[in-house]
mmCIF file of all heavy atoms in Angstrom:
data_model
loop_
_atom_site.group_PDB
_atom_site.id
_atom_site.type_symbol
_atom_site.label_atom_id
_atom_site.label_comp_id
_atom_site.label_asym_id
_atom_site.label_seq_id
_atom_site.Cartn_x
_atom_site.Cartn_y
_atom_site.Cartn_z
ATOM 1 N N ALA R 93 103.371 107.191 94.720
ATOM 2 C CA ALA R 93 104.132 107.780 95.789
ATOM 3 C C ALA R 93 103.594 107.285 97.156
ATOM 4 O O ALA R 93 104.386 107.108 98.129
ATOM 5 C CB ALA R 93 104.047 109.302 95.746
ATOM 6 N N GLY R 94 102.295 107.031 97.230
ATOM 7 C CA GLY R 94 101.682 106.486 98.449
ATOM 8 C C GLY R 94 102.270 105.124 98.798
ATOM 9 O O GLY R 94 102.478 104.824 99.981
ATOM 10 N N LEU R 95 102.573 104.305 97.772
ATOM 11 C CA LEU R 95 103.193 103.005 97.993
ATOM 12 C C LEU R 95 104.611 103.199 98.590
ATOM 13 O O LEU R 95 104.995 102.526 99.527
ATOM 14 C CB LEU R 95 103.271 102.230 96.676
ATOM 15 C CG LEU R 95 104.077 100.912 96.668
ATOM 16 C CD1 LEU R 95 103.486 99.937 95.693
ATOM 17 C CD2 LEU R 95 105.551 101.088 96.381
ATOM 18 N N ILE R 96 105.343 104.164 98.043
ATOM 19 C CA ILE R 96 106.728 104.425 98.524
ATOM 20 C C ILE R 96 106.645 104.808 100.001
ATOM 21 O O ILE R 96 107.449 104.317 100.812
ATOM 22 C CB ILE R 96 107.385 105.557 97.697
ATOM 23 C CG1 ILE R 96 107.528 105.043 96.213
ATOM 24 C CG2 ILE R 96 108.730 105.931 98.251
ATOM 25 C CD1 ILE R 96 108.018 106.132 95.258
ATOM 26 N N VAL R 97 105.734 105.705 100.347
ATOM 27 C CA VAL R 97 105.615 106.169 101.756
ATOM 28 C C VAL R 97 105.310 104.990 102.680
ATOM 29 O O VAL R 97 105.799 104.941 103.816
ATOM 30 C CB VAL R 97 104.540 107.254 101.830
ATOM 31 C CG1 VAL R 97 104.147 107.568 103.283
ATOM 32 C CG2 VAL R 97 104.970 108.536 101.098
ATOM 33 N N LEU R 98 104.491 104.021 102.217
ATOM 34 C CA LEU R 98 104.102 102.898 103.082
ATOM 35 C C LEU R 98 105.080 101.751 103.127
ATOM 36 O O LEU R 98 105.001 100.914 104.043
ATOM 37 C CB LEU R 98 102.717 102.406 102.583
ATOM 38 C CG LEU R 98 101.523 103.332 102.802
ATOM 39 C CD1 LEU R 98 100.299 102.839 102.024
ATOM 40 C CD2 LEU R 98 101.209 103.494 104.282
ATOM 41 N N ALA R 99 105.963 101.671 102.179
ATOM 42 C CA ALA R 99 106.866 100.513 102.061
ATOM 43 C C ALA R 99 107.900 100.444 103.223
ATOM 44 O O ALA R 99 108.184 101.457 103.874
ATOM 45 C CB ALA R 99 107.627 100.565 100.745
ATOM 46 N N THR R 100 108.443 99.263 103.396
ATOM 47 C CA THR R 100 109.497 99.131 104.428
ATOM 48 C C THR R 100 110.870 99.542 103.882
ATOM 49 O O THR R 100 111.691 100.069 104.635
ATOM 50 C CB THR R 100 109.607 97.673 104.924
ATOM 51 O OG1 THR R 100 109.476 96.779 103.832
ATOM 52 C CG2 THR R 100 108.592 97.356 105.977
ATOM 53 N N ARG R 101 111.168 99.304 102.589
ATOM 54 C CA ARG R 101 112.511 99.557 102.064
ATOM 55 C C ARG R 101 112.443 100.199 100.657
ATOM 56 O O ARG R 101 111.713 99.716 99.819
ATOM 57 C CB ARG R 101 113.325 98.259 101.972
ATOM 58 C CG ARG R 101 113.637 97.612 103.288
ATOM 59 C CD ARG R 101 114.375 96.251 103.102
ATOM 60 N NE ARG R 101 113.656 95.336 102.233
ATOM 61 C CZ ARG R 101 112.584 94.642 102.596
ATOM 62 N NH1 ARG R 101 112.096 94.779 103.840
ATOM 63 N NH2 ARG R 101 112.006 93.800 101.774
ATOM 64 N N ILE R 102 113.265 101.228 100.471
ATOM 65 C CA ILE R 102 113.407 101.802 99.106
ATOM 66 C C ILE R 102 114.837 101.567 98.713
ATOM 67 O O ILE R 102 115.807 101.996 99.389
ATOM 68 C CB ILE R 102 113.097 103.331 99.156
ATOM 69 C CG1 ILE R 102 111.714 103.596 99.754
ATOM 70 C CG2 ILE R 102 113.227 103.945 97.760
ATOM 71 C CD1 ILE R 102 110.570 102.844 99.064
ATOM 72 N N GLN R 103 115.009 100.859 97.628
ATOM 73 C CA GLN R 103 116.344 100.366 97.248
ATOM 74 C C GLN R 103 117.337 101.490 96.895
ATOM 75 O O GLN R 103 118.491 101.470 97.276
ATOM 76 C CB GLN R 103 116.220 99.430 96.030
ATOM 77 C CG GLN R 103 117.526 98.745 95.691
ATOM 78 C CD GLN R 103 117.640 98.599 94.184
ATOM 79 O OE1 GLN R 103 117.327 99.476 93.402
ATOM 80 N NE2 GLN R 103 118.075 97.395 93.774
ATOM 81 N N ASN R 104 116.841 102.501 96.149
ATOM 82 C CA ASN R 104 117.774 103.487 95.575
ATOM 83 C C ASN R 104 117.751 104.846 96.274
ATOM 84 O O ASN R 104 118.169 105.815 95.685
ATOM 85 C CB ASN R 104 117.461 103.639 94.093
ATOM 86 C CG ASN R 104 116.020 104.007 93.816
ATOM 87 O OD1 ASN R 104 115.125 103.717 94.609
ATOM 88 N ND2 ASN R 104 115.762 104.605 92.678
ATOM 89 N N GLN R 105 117.231 104.923 97.439
ATOM 90 C CA GLN R 105 117.147 106.181 98.116
ATOM 91 C C GLN R 105 117.032 106.006 99.631
ATOM 92 O O GLN R 105 116.338 105.112 100.088
ATOM 93 C CB GLN R 105 115.937 106.942 97.632
ATOM 94 C CG GLN R 105 116.085 108.430 97.883
ATOM 95 C CD GLN R 105 115.500 109.195 96.692
ATOM 96 O OE1 GLN R 105 115.101 108.619 95.693
ATOM 97 N NE2 GLN R 105 115.465 110.508 96.811
#
Side-chain angles (χ1 to χ4, degrees):
L95 173 148
I96 296 171
V97 169
L98 291 169
T100 40
R101 294 177 304 285
I102 305 304
Q103 187 215 43
N104 54 338
Q105 202 141 354

